[in-house]
Every structure is written in C-alpha cells, then in structure tokens.
Amino acid sequence: MIAVDDWPFPGDPNQYVGALHHTVPRFYMENWVDSDHNVLVIEKPSGRRYPARPKNIGAETDFYTYIDLEGKPAGHLEQALGQLEAAAASAIGRINHPVFGVFPPPPDDKQAIATLMAFQKVRGKRHRREIEQHTDFLAKVQVSGLDREGIERLLTDRAGEVTDEGIAQMEEMVANLEEYEFVPDPNEHLRMLGSLSFEIFKRLMRRYWYLAEFSTPALITCDEPVLLYKQNPSPHRGYGVADADEVWFPLNPRLLLILAREPSPLPLKFAAPADFAELVNHYVMHHAYQLIFAHPEHAGGGARHATRRPPDAGTRARISFRCRVQQAAEVAAYPAAQQTLTTSFRGGNELQPGGSTGTTGEECSWRRYSSPERSSSVYSSIPRMSMRRMCRHSCGSTRSSG
C-alpha cells in the first residue's frame, strides 16, 4: 500500500484540482491540427462543425478529481494520467516521424502506447455514463414494487427507524421511479480505472502489432479513438477488447495502428488502400460518443457525423452515491508504470476494488426536479447514507449546493 505522502511523481498533484481535465490527450488531437493549430470538431449527433484548439476540446473541470476519505478533493489521478500521456506521446512520436519513423516500436514504447490505449478505453465520458446507467437499473430493481410492509422493513434495516413521513416519501418515490435517476459518484468510475485498464493492457500486449500507412491524409478520429473491429459480429451479443478481431487506433491522418488477435501474412508496416480508410472512418463515427475530430483541410466526406444520439440523463432526478477513496494510489494506478499501485477503499466498511457501494459512511445526493424542496431524509435508506442537495445544470454538470 502506498501512502499519498509517498506519491512517486514530482510536483503538487492538487494543482489539477479545479482545472480543466481532457478526456482525450491534447498531444493526440494535435496530430490533426492545421497551420493555425486548429482541429475540425464535428458534434454528434447534431452535426455542428467548428474549428477549435485542442486545449479547448472535450475538457471538463475536475473530471478526474476525486474526494478522499478526509472529504477533500485530490488531483493525483490527473497527474498520473499526465505522466503516462507524456510517455505515450514520445513513443507515438517515434512512429509518426515522417523521415525517421520506427515500426515496430521497441518494448518500452509498446508498453507506453498500450497503456494509453487501455486507459483511453475506460477513462472517458461514455464509460462513466454506462456506469451511471447500470447503477440506475440495479437501484430501481431493488426498490421497484415495494409495498408498505417492504418499505418499513427497508427503512428499519437501513435507516434504523421508521416514521410515517419517511414511509410516505418512500411510497411516493417507489410509485414514480421513472422520474428519478440513481447515479454513482464519479469516485466510483475513477477507482475502477487502474484494475480495468490493467486487464485491457494485458490483452493488448498479447496481440500482433501492424501499421497501416495511407498515401494521403485520410483518417479522422474521435473522443473514443480506440476502435474495436470484428469481421462477423454476432447479432445476439456484443464484443469487447478480448474477442475483437482487431483493435484500431488512428495515430494521425495517415497512420493506423492495428492490434490483431491472429498473425497476418501482411508486412508489419504496409501501404493501405483508400477504401480501407473509409471503413476505418465509419468505425470512428460509430464509436464516437460526442465529438469527431478531423484535419480542417482534408476532412472530406469522411467526417460525416453519425446520427445516433448519445445517452442523455434528461430531466429526471439524480440520486448520486459518493464513495471516498482511501488512497490516491488505486485510482491513479496504471499498469506500465514503475510498479502497479494497489490499495483498498473505505465507505464505512472496507471496500476492495470492484466491490459494491452502499455501506455505512458513504454519502448520497439527490434532487427531484418537480419538487426540489422536499425533505431528503427518506432517501438515506437507499442505501444507508447521509444526504446533500445537488444542482444539476442543463449542461449536465453536477455541483453541491450545501
């Protein structure tokens, strides 16, 4: 176990608290900039297009800031991500060089690139939204259809007491579950990053690495640039990194990194036809969550936006669970560092990585749009938590209001 005082990276990690955090590395987006240092941004699903500087794209304040056990914001994860991005930038730069580009990369460079790809697969807004939707479903399953007797048992078990007011509030919530959304705190997403990315990292390093080179700048990218390709996907189930035939990662408008499950008769670096770029761009548009990126001068028809709308929280209430991370080490753990950092979590009871929330000592926050003035006492029973009011703005951000 590594204490915060033993954090292996230089500098003050809390300088990142209150700062903009990029879910896509800035160095990566800079491979698509023009002479004015702008990249073309296409919003999904609206199709709105505009040029922007990489530092202004896809950034959200405190996206990787977590709350530690002392209730204080901590910026260790953003600092660790900056370190692995720097290593990956150097490794990708040695491939991208127009004259002295090297492929296949040496083992250390492979490790750095695979680490970036592994984290990129789980660090973004899509994965956080998926966790929110799963939590919402499971929480509603637990309380859906409860009658008065069931509500009394639940309040007794979790709140320790039963009041007529609490039962009435609980009955009203159970009767109108679709007006609410149960949302885990961002800490829940952040504490998973180390373990999830390490599993992805191992699978990426076992694959066969190839580089497709296009004669003209033809590739676009997006806010979810690690693409999964399967030639014959099943109509009944999805597929992930483990069973995808290939994992694609556009390095710049001319180069596509391909990680294949099986060896190919093609050379490790090969000239790719133009129609292959169309297929890759199709996958880019499909994988994009909110933003597609292209070089402003050669986006062409490849930057057509997809029309499927990303998941949206709508106007339902948000009931948010907060778990506190005991140490900075676990949320910032990444597999290709000098060591794998591990620790445990605490939310009243001890929580190991991958454990469930809902134990004594966590916090839950809620807001009901139709009646925000209602008492929040009853909601501390789902699970046993203290309560705080939250404000949810139209942009989708959430902040505490006391």
Side-chain angles (χ1 to χ4, degrees), residues 178-199:
E178 290 306 313
E179 297 181 22
Y180 295 86
E181 183 182 14
F182 295 81
V183 184
D185 188 83
N187 272 15
E188 186 69 13
H189 172 217
L190 300 180
R191 73 172 188 146
M192 296 179 181
L193 294 189
S195 57
L196 291 178
S197 62
F198 184 50
E199 293 303 315

Side-chain angles (χ1 to χ4, degrees), residues 260-275:
R261 289 181 65 191
E262 304 295 337
S264 168
L266 290 170
L268 296 181
K269 184 175 182 180
F270 63 92
D275 57 351

Side-chain angles (χ1 to χ4, degrees), residues 225-227 229 246-250 256-258 276 279-280 283:
V226 180
L227 317 175
Y229 169 77
E246 296 176 353
V247 180
W248 296 345
F249 186 44
L256 175 70
L257 182 62
I258 300 173
F276 181 43
L279 176 64
V280 174
Y283 271 78

Side-chain angles (χ1 to χ4, degrees), residues 99-116:
V99 178
F100 303 108
V102 176
F103 194 88
D108 287 349
D109 283 359
K110 270 192 175 182
Q111 197 175 49
I113 296 170
T115 301
L116 177 70

Side-chain angles (χ1 to χ4, degrees), residues 28 44 121 126 218-234 239-240 243-250 256-257 275-293 301-306 308:
Y28 175 74
K44 180 181 177 180
K121 197 64 185 158
R126 166 173 281 148
L219 299 177
I220 61 176
T221 190
C222 65
D223 52 4
E224 296 285 344
V226 180
L227 317 175
L228 305 181
Y229 169 77
K230 196 172 183 67
Q231 186 173 6
N232 297 305
S234 169
Y239 57 93
D243 52 357
D245 293 337
E246 296 176 353
V247 180
W248 296 345
F249 186 44
L256 175 70
L257 182 62
D275 57 351
F276 181 43
E278 289 294 322
L279 176 64
V280 174
N281 289 339
H282 172 79
Y283 271 78
V284 168
M285 292 182 288
H286 174 73
H287 277 70
Y289 181 61
Q290 292 177 320
L291 300 174
I292 299 168
F293 311 126
R304 295 187 300 271
H305 68 277
R308 185 169 64 89

Side-chain angles (χ1 to χ4, degrees), residues 132-147 154 158 170 173-174 177-178 180-182 316 321 382:
E132 292 177 352
Q133 290 179 320
H134 293 164
T135 301
D136 180 56
F137 173 77
L138 294 175
K140 287 177 178 176
V141 167
Q142 294 178 14
V143 301
S144 178
L146 285 179
D147 56 14
L154 182 67
R158 295 186 174 178
M170 191 72 173
M173 189 189 74
V174 171
L177 275 181
E178 290 306 313
Y180 295 86
E181 183 182 14
F182 295 81
R316 293 181 294 173
F321 308 104
I382 313 177

